[in-house]
Every structure is written in C-alpha cells, then in structure tokens.
Amino acid sequence: MDLKPLINLCEHFNIQYEINAKTAPYNSFRVGKEAKIIIFPHSIEVFVEILRYISSANIKYIVLGNGTNSYFCDYYDGVVIITKKLNDVKVNKNKITAMCGADLTAISEIAHDESLLGAEFLYGIPGAIGGGVYMNASAFGSSISDIVFESLVFDINEKTIKTIIYDEHLFGIKTSVFSKFHSYIVLKTSFVLSYGDKEEIWKKMNDYILKRKNTQPLDFPSAGSVFIKPKDNYASKLIDMAGLKGLRIGGAEVSKKHAGFIVNVNNASAKDINALISHIKIKVKNTYNYELKEEIIYIE
C-alpha cells in the first residue's frame, strides 16, 4: 500500500496521523504491536473524505472508537481510523444525538443531567457510540436498540452519506446491519428517551456501576464479555462449570472473578488470546454441547 496519497489527504485536511504506530494503546485488551498507519479524523466531513478515499482505493482498514470490544494482531497491514475526536453530543428535548466517537458513559451522564430515562444501562460501558450501535451493546436487560431513533451513516458501496431509520438497523442480539453486512459505517446516532426523575435515574446508574465493580475484573485489561450469550444459558456459567476459571495460556487468563472475561495478566499476545478462546470453545462444546460464538473482534 502506497501511503503517500493518504498522507497527502491527511495533511491537506490537517488530520492527525501516525505511521508505523503502536496499536496496543488503542484497544482495551492492550494487545498488538503496530499498524501501518493510524488516523484521527477531527470532523465528520474529514472522516467521510478518508472513508471515501480508502474504500475507493480498496485499501484495508478498520474503524475504532475506544477499541473496547476488539484486539489486534501483532502487525496490522492497513489503515486504523480512531474516532475519539468525533465526540460531539447535542440534546433537543428528549432526543440525544451523538457522534460515533462519543463515550457511551457520557450519553448516560448527559441523559441524567437532562432528567431523561432509558440510558442508565450505558453507564460504565467503556465503549463509544459507533461500536455500541455496531454490536447493539447491552447490559442489565437493556440494549441500545431500545433507544435508537436513527443513524447517519456512510454507505461504503455507494460512497454516499445517508440516514437510516430504526428498522433499517436490523438489530439482533449483539448484532446490527453494521456487523452483519459491513456496508455502513456509523457517523452519528440519535436516541429518543423518556422523561423521568433525576434522583431515580442516578440511583439506577449508581446501582449498575456498583454491580460492574463487584462482578467484573476491571483491574486487568480485557475486551469485556468474550462470548455472545448462548440460547437458554450463559457463557460464563458454562465456562465456570467446565472448570476453566483461572486457566492461563501465555499472558491471557480466564478471569477468576468472572468466567465470561479473558484478561491480559502478563503482556498477552493475540496468539495467547486466540488459543485460550479456542480451548474454551472446544471444552464447552465437548462437555455441554454448546457452540460458543465470539462477541469480541480479532483485528488481523
């Protein structure tokens, strides 16, 4: 891949970029070594210019917000686009519109400030809006699909910007049109909430954050829940019953606190994590006849 045209584009639009950049700081697993180039667009307009160019040029790329549901191979031979600068949030009565790089937790805090009910479950989720909508982020019985109104997206095939309404998101359990077909990229999303009591909203948010602290291994790098909830069961329960809690391969370990998490306890590599995931899947399949499917994304 010839980086010169892309670098020229970045410099023309004053977009920050890093060549042969370290990838570990940009995913919560803290895994990976380098990518050919990492780009940090500062507006929706320049983000679209970058997307239009690299999709037209058929260049390998990945878009990340906080990188909380993914992990990198040692060397990513492509373009990494980090959306953390695209974090503007606007409130209009009971509708919140957020750019793809805005934090999910920030949305719940803003909703609380405006006495808006329905986003409490987002409090403490470390991801960004783009990733949250991509995977229909959920917690404590609620999902992003419960509150989404519409999204502004970039259509990779048509190289155009369009708005998709609720039904067109094709939400499912931990899935959406974005994860199923990879033809759209989230630019911004609007959420519609209901009015509620500010104190009751905060109480629920506080309860949720305490549950996270008490049950999740927040003291080690991880990518959250590794597997999608299987039908009529829980991945963490199956992994625990299979006696895999605390199992370690290299620097990756099945969390002793929550069996649904793999944690980076000692400079884990993607190879360590992949081997541990494979072992878990085989053990659970052979023992309980459940096919576990990864929720986290391996970027290679």
Side-chain angles (χ1 to χ4, degrees), residues 38-94:
I38 299 181
I39 298 173
F40 306 85
H42 54 270
S43 72
I44 292 294
E45 291 73 22
V46 299
F47 183 29
V48 167
E49 288 295 331
I50 293 294
L51 291 173
R52 188 171 280 128
Y53 170 73
I54 61 180
S55 57
S56 296
N58 199 29
I59 294 172
K60 179 179 177 181
Y61 71 98
I62 185 76
V63 177
L64 293 178
N66 293 341
T68 52
N69 200 49
S70 56
Y71 60 107
F72 277 95
C73 58
D74 279 348
Y75 184 76
Y76 182 71
D77 188 24
V79 179
V80 180
I81 304 174
I82 304 293
T83 64
K84 65 179 183 177
K85 292 186 177 183
L86 307 177
N87 56 14
D88 187 52
V89 180
K90 288 184 169 57
V91 181
N92 182 11
K93 296 180 180 178
N94 66 326

Side-chain angles (χ1 to χ4, degrees), residues 6 12 46 48 53 64 89 99 157 172 195 215 222 249:
L6 185 57
H12 175 76
V46 299
V48 167
Y53 170 73
L64 293 178
V89 180
M99 287 186 182
N157 298 324
Y195 290 102
T215 62
S222 80
I249 294 180

Side-chain angles (χ1 to χ4, degrees), residues 157-220:
N157 298 324
E158 298 180 6
K159 313 293 187 295
T160 58
I161 297 172
K162 62 176 61 174
T163 297
I164 63 171
I165 58 175
Y166 178 81
D167 289 345
E168 294 173 302
H169 287 73
L170 303 181
F171 284 122
I173 298 173
K174 298 290 184 173
T175 62
S176 69
V177 66
F178 306 99
S179 61
K180 290 172 182 173
F181 303 113
H182 304 285
S183 53
Y184 295 151
I185 293 176
V186 182
L187 301 177
K188 61 174 69 172
T189 297
S190 294
F191 307 93
V192 172
L193 305 170
S194 56
Y195 290 102
D197 180 81
K198 186 177 285 189
E199 289 187 9
E200 287 300 314
I201 292 169
W202 173 248
K203 183 178 183 302
K204 190 178 286 188
M205 290 167 63
N206 195 48
D207 287 344
Y208 287 163
I209 202 69
L210 287 175
K211 286 179 182 178
R212 290 184 188 281
K213 289 178 179 178
N214 290 334
T215 62
Q216 297 179 6
L218 303 180
D219 48 342
F220 288 105

